Structures are given as structure tokens and as C-alpha cells.
Amino acid sequence: MIKWTLILAAYFTISLSALADNLPQPLGSVILTISGQIENTQDGKTVRLDLAQLKQLKSNTFNIQTRWSDSAHRYQGPLLSAVLNYVGAKGSVVHLTALNDYTTDIDQEYIDKYEPILAWEEDGKQLSVREKGPLWLLLPNDKFPELNAETHSGKMIWQLTQIEIR
Amino acid sequence: MLHKEFKNRFNRHKSILLLPIVLIFFISAIISFVQLRQSLSILEQRYGTSVWSMFQLGVELHRFDDALGIYHSDPAALKQLQQRYDILWSRFPILLEGVDAKHLGKVNGATSLLNNTFNTVKSFESHLFDSPLVTPEQIANMQSVLRPYTEAINKLSLENYHYNNQSFNRDDRKIASLQEQLILLIIGLSISGSILLWMVLRESKLNRYQAEHDSLTQLPNRVYLKKALASHCELSDSFALHLIDLNGFKDVNDTLGHHIGDILLQSVSSRLIDRIDREYGCITTRLGGDEFAIIQPSTRNEHDLKKVTDQILRLFEDKFHIGEQSCFIGVSIGSAIYPKHATEAGSLLTRADIAMYKAKELSPISGSALFDFKMDAKIHRRQELHRDLREAIINEKLSLVYQPIVSLESENVAYFEALLRWNHEIHGPIPPQEIIEIAEHYGLANKLGCWIIDQTCRQIGLWKASGFNPLPVSVNISPSMHRLDLAMIINKSLESYGLPKGLIWIEVTEDTTMQILKETQEVIPTLNQEGISIALDDFGTGLSSLSHLQQLPVQTLKIDRSFIRHIPTDKVSSRLVKNIIGIGHDLGMKVVAEGIEDLAAARLLASYQCDLGQGYLFSKPLHPNRIPDFCRDQKEKCSNSIA
């Protein structure tokens, strides 16, 4: 009897952790798809998020000037770490892909050090694709001057739509 | 000599030299810094991203053109076409503002081409977004309108690429020339830095030299000697240390002046260097004043040592000539051998010092002595006694005994002399003279003197309390005590035990009184006024003359025992004593004969009218408890003999 109970308990534990499709489905239009080594999913494999869901995550605001602009602007959006935490990311490398197929990789250490945001709003206005939306990964180059160097500018991927955790 | 001259010249020019070197160093450093900054900023500019952005624009133009083609065959792909349009749109602001726009501004016609292309692209917006369908004509129109722009953009991309390459090359050449200049600056930096470093090292070497050498004679000094001794002690080879003290140097200084004294020290130094250091491989150092020390390496035996000490003594047999003056100077040499006499620098120095004092004692003019452990024992005893004396005074380990001084006529006790006793735990009874000497030498004399006065007063008080009518007690005063207010100390002490003035007398030696007279004329009359009778102790052994005796307002004259001992047998002694008694009486003093040991002497002295006597014939010094009984017995004896 005990043996059977244990087997049953083990079965439930395994099936629950394997499924883990516990995250809510998006209601609006999807702006970010996350896949790869993640623990929390919607369908067992990926997480598709709309703006409303991203707005619920811990966010930050940067008042910065990028090399692509002549003046400083106010950017707001969820912390990348909050997004990764939300999906239970387990990998060490975050592979980011933009609408124009531009890709870049950043690792966990980099995220911990610079705390990038996925900005969806510039000066109170939602970013369109024409304005580097729907999401633009931004680094606080006001706090860390070294982020103005070209190697870091290349990490500030815009028109971001897909994240794969590797 | 040449070296010295060079050194002086160098020191004079040092400050003039230092300024340009420091200037070269700092100017080179500042220019290098500016150069590096320039190189870095050039390198930073090289990483322009306009080339990448331009090619990306080209790519997006082609993709949009492709998307138009796809839409033409599949009208369901409107959404994708719109997205490609948005992406293409997004490429323009990047090239029209920010860093890339600045770069492209340098290329002819780039900005206007980009603006025109952007405006053309913007004009497509209504076709793509306003109606649900884009007609094939519109597609063809857009493609044909866009084609020349695409070609122009492609051309601009290449031009921009070449322009960038050119500026890269230009910057490379600039960096190369900057680096060539930098090499020169670094050479300047290294040379001036090296010179500065050399000057710093030289300065510190000079400082070290000055710290270890005497400025007057250029000989190594005490600091050097201690180091040298320590390093010699580490080797197993035996060596000798000679300490040299000049005799009569103070007189030269006092009579001929310090200037001559300094020159004398210099010529002593050069004699020692020439004849001792050079010939025997010794190291001569100056310890200060007129003291020198010589390390004699590899001293196997006393024969080796004697060769050097004899040579030193010979060096001082010749006169020293200083300008028109000339003088003889004596030396006392004390030597100690490592490791025979000491295995450590400090004690070797101490022992050579002890030997040096011994040499001085043996011959005040010139002489040498080798350390001997017997000398050390004497010094050791002295040091121990010194250490213990302080404690003995505090802990009442000293005591006083009292020797009666009796009238030679009636044999009644006239007064007592308090005598100091110290039974040392290791060295046994210490002679009072040695105690006084140690106390004087180590600054304990006043403390000891006050203790004796206080102790005596206390004893008189005890006698009085026990019903014994007290007699005066004379105490011995050590030479330096007269500098205190002696009368005040004595009377205060008497008062504190409820005793009247006049019960404490003092005894001083001739030499002490001479000292007192030399320093102050008022001490003795003051003591007399305060009822303190003064006795001149051990008369005849000191250095006072009869003329001084006349000046001294003392009440008692004590003839030294050395005269008394022989009077019954030696006619000269007896006549001398008789006359001293006569002179004493003529000067209004009472005369005491010390050290009376037999009846014959006592009778003879009585016949010379000597007033008082002291000695074993009457009584040895007694414990205070026995004094009242002794006095009573003596009184009875007197009355019996009268009866």
C-alpha cells in the first residue's frame, strides 16, 4: 500500500514539474517571445508576453543619451532580470533577436552588473517599430561611462522581439 | 683630497642642476600624458558605426523591395510588407542624428541624399497603410521610384567606407608620429628619472655617511662603532677594543681655546689613522669629546694587543704642534678582548671603559690597562651597593651606632658621635666611608643625610622618653649636603620629636669644609647661629692649611687617629699633636683626640690639655639601647675615682 502511494506521489511530482505551464496567457498582442532553458512556461516550451504583462514586472527608468540621438530622453521598461526571473530562466547566456534579424548575446554576469531594462516607452510615449520598438534593451551609460564604447553599444539591441535562454 | 674637492663642488652645483632635471622630468611626463590622451581619442573615433549603419540601410532597402515583390504575388503578406516598411523607416533617424550623422556629415552630399530618400520612403506611407489593398501599379511605381535611391545609397555606403578607411590611415600615421615623439619623451623621462634617482640615492648615502661619521675629524662615530662591534661579534675571530681618553685635553681647551682644541683633536685623529689604522688594520672611531675607540681585528693574544697599545702610547710621546702653539697630551687606554672578556658589544664597551678608568687611576698622565675580571667585581659590587642603598634607606636596613666622646679630665661622657652601619645581605658590613662615597656618586647623599639626622633625633627622643637625660649627638655630613638648608633640616627634625635646639652637632671633613668655604661663606655662621656646633673631622689628613683653620668658625677640632696611635712611642707625633692642641685652643676650639686605644696615650693627651677623647679605650660604638647604662656606669666610675 505504502509502495503504491509513493509511486503515485512521485508521478505527480514529476508530471507537475515537467508541465509547469503555470504562467497566464497574453490577452493583448504579443511583443516578446521567450524560449530555451526556462522553468515557467505557458505551453511547456515558451512564454509569450503582451505589454500589460511586462508592465507588471519590476521596472526602472533611465534618463540617458544614446549614440543614436542628439539629446537625452527618458526611457522606461521592465528590468531584463525581472523578465528572466518571471520565466525562471536557467541558462547562463541570453540570446536576443530583433525584427531585422540582428542578434546579440549577453551573459548573467553582465546583467547583474549593469541591470539593463527592456524599454517600451520613450518620454512617456510607447515605442513603435519605427522608433526602435516594441522593446529596446538599454544600458545605464550615465552611471557607467564605459558603456559608451562601441562594444557595449552593440548590446543595446532595438526592435527586440525574441529571447532565447541558452 | 681631490675627492673631497669634487664633492664640495658637486654640492654647490647640486641645486642648480636639480631644477632643470626636475623640469625636464615633469614636462616630459605632462607631454606624454597629453600625447597618450590624443592617441586614445583618435582610436576611439575610429570605432564609428556609420559604415555599418549605411550598409544596414542598403540591406533594408533591398528587403523592402523584395517584400514588395512578394506582396505582388501574395496579397496576404500585407502585414509583413508593413513591418518591412516600418523597419526601413526606422533606419533613417539613426543616420540623421547622433554620432553616425556627425560622421556622415563629413561625406559630400550624404545628408541631403539621406533626407531625400527618407522623404521618398515617407511618401509611400499612404499607399501602404491607408487602403486595405496596394495596387500592382503602386508597387511598380514604388519600386521604380526607390531604385535610383537604392543605387545612390549603395554608392554612398561605399564612399563612406572609403572615407573611413582614409581617415583610418590618416589617424594611423598620426598615431605613429605621436608614438615616435612618445619614444623621445620616454627617453627624456627615463634619463631625467635616472638622474633624479641617482641624486636621491647619493643624498641618502651622504646622509648615512653623516649619521655614522664625526663632522670634526671625519672619523666614524659611536653609531658606526656599535654597528661595527655588533658585526665583529658575529664573526668567530677574536678582536680587541681599545678605549682612549685624552688626559689634559680640557686644559688645552680652557687655556688655548676651543678652536685649538678642535685642531688638536684633528691631529690626534690623523696620527691614529696614519700610524694605527694603516699599519695595523685597525678602525679608529671618535666617541665624542676627547674619547676615541679602536677596533683591532684578529687579536690572538696579549702580545698582539700590546703592540698596538704601546704604539698608541708612543704616538703621544711627541708634542702636538698647532700653528705656533705646541703641547703634550697624555692618553689612558683601556682594552678588552672579544670573546675573552665579553661576547656582546655593550659589555665589551663597558669592560674596556672599566679598564680605561683603571689605567687613569694607575697613571694620571699616560698609561694602558687590559681588562681583568677583578676590576669588574669591584665595579659590580659598587653597582650592587648603589642599587641596594636606595632600598636600604627606604626599608630602614641601615642603622646607627653611637660612640661616646668623653672628657679626658673627668672621663664623663660629653657627647656621642652617630656612626652609620649597613650589614649588606651579600657583601656583609659596608664601611661607612664607602656608603657615603656611593651615596655621593649616585645622588643619594642628601636622602641619606636627612635619614641620619631624622634617625638620630628619633633616638634622642626615645632616650628622653625612657628617662635618660639626652646629650648632644654629632652626625657626619657628606660633602654635598651643605648645599641644602642644613640648619632648617636639623631644627625641623628636632622640633618634630619635641627636642630643643643644640642637640644635633655636625662633623665635617677638612675637604668638605674647604668646599663649603669655596662655594658659600654663609653656611657655617648660619649653623652656628642656629645652635649647631661644628667639628672638623679627621684633622691633619685633608688638604686644608692653617690659614684656612683661622677662617673657619668651627667649635671643635678632631685630630685624626693616625697621629694619636703613635704618640706614646713616637716623639715627633707627640710633639705635633701637642702643638695642634695648642693651636686649637688658641683659636678658641675644643680639641678631640680620635682613636685612643691605650691608657698611656690618654694620659699623655690629658697632660697636653686635650679636652676630649674618643676610642676603644673608653668604648666602641654602641647600640643605642646600651647608651643609658654606659653613661650611668661611667658616671659612677668618675665619682668613685674622685672619692
Side-chain angles (χ1 to χ4, degrees):
Chain A
M1 187 63 196
I2 294 168
K3 195 176 161 190
W4 282 110
T5 316
L6 277 174
I7 288 168
L8 210 63
Y11 170 76
F12 276 116
T13 317
I14 292 161
S15 60
L16 269 174
S17 66
L19 287 170
D21 49 354
N22 47 351
L23 295 181
Q25 294 292 335
L27 299 173
S29 61
V30 173
I31 59 168
L32 182 63
T33 307
I34 304 167
S35 61
Q37 296 182 44
I38 52 175
E39 280 189 342
N40 310 328
T41 62
Q42 291 155 339
D43 56 6
K45 279 175 91 178
T46 58
V47 178
R48 293 159 67 248
L49 299 169
D50 62 12
L51 185 59
Q53 284 169 308
L54 285 170
K55 278 182 183 173
Q56 284 170 2
L57 301 174
K58 191 186 174 191
S59 68
N60 199 1
T61 302
F62 292 165
N63 277 304
I64 54 169
Q65 182 185 351
T66 64
R67 60 183 292 121
W68 303 282
S69 148
D70 288 336
S71 57
H73 296 277
R74 192 168 161 275
Y75 300 95
Q76 204 218 315
L79 287 166
L80 176 59
S81 58
V83 176
L84 299 179
N85 198 34
Y86 181 69
V87 298
K90 284 296 154 209
S92 57
V93 176
V94 178
H95 182 70
L96 305 131
T97 306
L99 278 175
N100 68 341
D101 303 328
Y102 178 84
T103 61
T104 188
D105 288 350
I106 54 177
D107 56 30
Q108 193 57 48
E109 207 178 311
Y110 194 86
I111 297 167
D112 290 344
K113 185 172 178 192
Y114 296 119
E115 301 181 321
I117 58 167
L118 303 181
W120 59 269
E121 194 184 65
E122 181 185 279
D123 299 328
K125 201 173 139 262
Q126 192 185 341
L127 289 166
S128 66
V129 172
R130 292 178 192 183
E131 294 142 350
K132 306 181 184 66
L135 294 169
W136 185 5
L137 187 142
L138 285 171
L139 296 164
N141 63 357
D142 54 341
K143 271 193 227 158
F144 301 95
E146 74 266 21
L147 292 174
N148 288 310
E150 175 58 22
T151 44
H152 294 283
S153 304
K155 303 273 185 207
M156 295 204 214
I157 182 169
W158 59 66
Q159 294 166 342
L160 171 69
T161 53
Q162 287 177 52
I163 296 177
E164 189 193 345
I165 314 298
R166 292 177 170 172
Chain B
M1 207 64 195
L2 266 172
H3 177 70
K4 201 171 173 184
E5 204 173 288
F6 167 76
K7 216 157 73 182
N8 284 341
R9 214 160 49 202
F10 176 81
N11 283 340
R12 238 188 345 269
H13 295 307
K14 196 162 59 184
S15 47
I16 307 170
L17 202 66
L18 192 64
L19 189 71
I21 290 170
V22 170
L23 271 177
I24 290 171
F25 186 83
F26 279 104
I27 292 171
S28 304
I30 291 165
I31 296 176
S32 307
F33 179 71
V34 172
Q35 292 251 16
L36 272 173
R37 285 294 298 266
Q38 273 180 344
S39 306
L40 280 175
S41 80
I42 290 170
L43 282 171
E44 246 166 44
Q45 280 170 16
R46 292 170 62 131
Y47 290 97
T49 51
S50 66
V51 173
W52 161 263
S53 300
M54 277 305 298
F55 281 117
Q56 283 293 306
L57 176 61
V59 168
E60 289 305 331
L61 280 166
H62 283 291
R63 280 178 170 176
F64 179 64
D65 188 57
D66 291 347
L68 285 170
I70 291 165
Y71 179 74
H72 185 63
S73 53
D74 175 18
L78 180 63
K79 243 201 148 50
Q80 285 91 323
L81 179 61
Q82 285 174 336
Q83 194 180 57
R84 284 261 74 95
Y85 177 80
D86 281 346
I87 294 170
L88 173 62
W89 208 100
S90 75
R91 298 304 319 179
F92 288 98
I94 297 158
L95 296 160
L96 292 168
E97 63 173 309
V99 179
D100 290 351
K102 221 177 276 169
H103 279 261
L104 283 164
K106 291 173 190 166
V107 182
N108 273 343
T111 313
S112 66
L113 173 65
L114 284 166
N115 272 317
N116 292 339
T117 314
F118 193 20
N119 287 334
T120 307
V121 169
K122 277 179 183 170
S123 71
F124 299 160
E125 191 173 8
S126 56
H127 301 314
L128 293 169
F129 291 90
D130 290 356
S131 60
L133 259 172
V134 189
T135 63
E137 289 78 31
Q138 282 173 327
I139 292 168
N141 182 40
M142 280 191 276
Q143 282 180 323
S144 68
V145 168
L146 211 53
R147 199 155 295 133
Y149 285 108
T150 308
E151 279 165 16
I153 291 291
N154 283 344
K155 202 164 149 260
L156 176 63
S157 296
L158 277 171
E159 260 175 57
N160 183 43
Y161 172 70
H162 289 307
Y163 175 82
N164 261 277
N165 270 358
Q166 271 170 14
S167 72
F168 279 8
N169 288 337
R170 204 171 49 239
D171 290 348
D172 278 349
R173 281 196 302 278
K174 206 168 170 187
I175 287 173
S177 87
L178 281 176
Q179 280 179 343
E180 271 165 28
Q181 291 171 30
L182 206 63
I183 289 170
L184 282 175
L185 288 167
I186 287 171
I187 291 171
L189 265 180
S190 325
I191 292 174
S192 54
S194 307
I195 295 173
L196 279 176
L197 192 69
W198 175 73
M199 286 174 93
V200 166
L201 288 176
R202 208 183 160 283
E203 200 66 16
S204 73
K205 204 173 150 191
L206 203 71
N207 284 343
R208 204 165 56 234
Y209 179 86
Q210 280 168 353
E212 290 183 353
H213 288 78
D214 169 45
S215 58
L216 178 67
T217 60
Q218 297 304 319
L219 284 177
N221 62 12
R222 187 182 285 273
V223 176
Y224 180 93
L225 177 75
K226 284 200 172 158
K227 274 192 194 167
L229 280 179
S231 63
H232 272 82
C233 286
E234 276 170 19
L235 306 170
S236 54
D237 200 14
S238 76
F239 68 93
L241 172 69
H242 307 286
L243 282 189
I244 298 175
D245 191 71
L246 304 186
N247 295 323
F249 176 72
K250 196 174 172 295
D251 297 336
V252 172
N253 249 351
D254 290 349
T255 54
L256 303 177
H258 287 278
H259 175 61
I260 300 292
D262 286 351
I263 297 171
L264 176 64
L265 287 173
Q266 284 171 338
S267 40
V268 167
S269 307
S270 59
R271 265 191 208 184
L272 289 171
I273 290 170
D274 290 344
R275 305 298 309 279
I276 304 295
D277 285 17
R278 300 232 163 101
E279 287 180 21
Y280 297 93
C282 298
I283 307 165
T284 298
T285 60
R286 184 181 172 216
L287 298 182
D290 58 351
E291 273 192 313
F292 296 85
I294 296 176
I295 296 175
Q296 181 189 352
S298 305
T299 313
R300 304 255 168 260
N301 46 44
E302 288 182 23
H303 177 71
D304 287 350
L305 181 128
K306 212 165 148 29
K307 268 197 274 183
V308 169
T309 50
D310 286 352
Q311 173 75 345
I312 299 169
L313 290 172
R314 266 198 301 280
L315 290 181
F316 286 84
E317 282 169 6
D318 294 337
K319 263 188 178 180
F320 283 90
H321 297 281
I322 300 143
E324 290 172 7
Q325 316 274 2
S326 64
C327 59
F328 280 109
I329 278 286
V331 275
S332 296
I333 310 167
S335 312
I337 298 173
Y338 169 90
K340 191 179 165 192
H341 295 136
T343 54
E344 178 261 320
S347 47
L348 194 68
L349 260 170
T350 312
R351 286 172 178 177
D353 203 42
I354 290 168
M356 199 265 286
Y357 277 100
K358 189 72 187 172
K360 227 177 241 291
E361 204 179 300
L362 292 173
S363 164
I365 298 160
S366 260
S368 66
L370 179 61
F371 176 76
D372 185 326
F373 279 102
K374 279 180 208 153
M375 298 176 189
D376 209 21
K378 200 171 162 190
I379 297 284
H380 197 64
R381 171 187 161 102
R382 234 177 128 80
Q383 282 171 345
E384 253 182 21
L385 290 183
H386 160 227
R387 190 193 60 209
D388 295 344
L389 180 59
R390 190 183 296 275
E391 200 194 327
I393 296 171
I394 295 164
N395 296 336
E396 309 253 314
K397 284 185 178 169
L398 302 174
S399 60
L400 291 174
V401 288
Y402 300 84
Q403 189 170 32
I405 291 162
V406 300
S407 160
L408 286 177
E409 196 187 356
S410 67
E411 291 198 19
N412 261 332
V413 180
Y415 67 99
F416 306 99
E417 181 182 356
L419 294 164
L420 190 59
R421 289 288 180 266
W422 182 18
N423 200 7
H424 190 269
E425 284 148 354
I426 298 160
H427 300 289
I430 312 296
Q433 198 50 44
E434 194 179 356
I435 303 173
I436 301 281
E437 242 175 58
I438 289 165
E440 279 285 326
H441 196 265
Y442 296 104
L444 290 169
N446 293 343
K447 211 180 169 98
L448 181 64
C450 290
W451 180 84
I452 292 171
I453 291 167
D454 182 74
Q455 191 66 17
T456 310
C457 291
R458 196 171 71 95
Q459 188 55 55
I460 298 171
L462 286 172
W463 283 330
K464 198 179 169 189
S466 71
F468 171 67
N469 211 18
L471 290 166
V473 179
S474 71
V475 294
N476 290 282
I477 292 303
S478 56
S480 63
M481 261 202 102
H482 71 271
R483 296 198 187 100
L484 302 178
D485 189 351
L486 205 52
M488 195 269 287
I489 293 169
I490 291 171
N491 286 335
K492 216 168 187 178
S493 194
L494 284 168
E495 201 185 316
S496 71
Y497 292 100
L499 300 169
K501 283 182 184 180
L503 279 175
I504 297 287
W505 295 357
I506 60 173
E507 294 198 6
V508 283
T509 61
E510 280 174 81
D511 293 345
T512 307
T513 49
M514 294 304 298
Q515 189 71 28
I516 295 169
L517 283 176
K518 212 167 148 186
E519 287 181 22
T520 164
Q521 305 284 328
E522 289 155 23
V523 174
I524 294 172
T526 311
L527 286 167
N528 288 338
Q529 281 160 24
E530 292 295 328
I532 298 159
S533 171
I534 305 164
L536 198 56
D537 206 6
D538 305 333
F539 183 75
T541 58
L543 297 166
S544 65
S545 65
L546 287 172
S547 71
H548 280 119
L549 200 58
Q550 194 187 351
Q551 291 172 20
L552 282 173
V554 299
Q555 286 71 44
T556 312
L557 195 66
K558 294 184 82 176
I559 304 172
D560 191 69
R561 62 182 68 236
S562 56
F563 296 98
I564 306 301
R565 204 182 304 151
H566 307 294
I567 51 166
T569 51
D570 181 31
K571 279 240 158 85
V572 179
S573 283
S574 65
R575 268 187 220 145
L576 197 62
V577 168
K578 188 179 176 188
N579 283 313
I580 292 171
I581 294 166
I583 290 165
H585 284 163
D586 287 347
L587 292 171
M589 300 171 185
K590 284 209 180 300
V591 181
V592 181
E594 294 177 336
I596 302 174
E597 288 176 4
D598 54 72
L599 205 56
R603 287 201 173 132
L604 203 55
L605 286 161
S607 73
Y608 296 156
Q609 311 293 319
C610 184
D611 307 276
L612 301 158
Q614 178 179 7
Y616 275 43
L617 174 67
F618 309 109
S619 168
K620 60 180 186 183
L622 294 171
H623 189 271
N625 291 349
R626 293 181 55 196
I627 290 293
D629 286 345
F630 175 83
C631 287
R632 203 170 32 250
D633 293 351
Q634 197 69 9
K635 215 170 189 171
E636 276 173 18
K637 212 163 99 187
C638 293
S639 51
N640 286 346
S641 67
I642 290 165

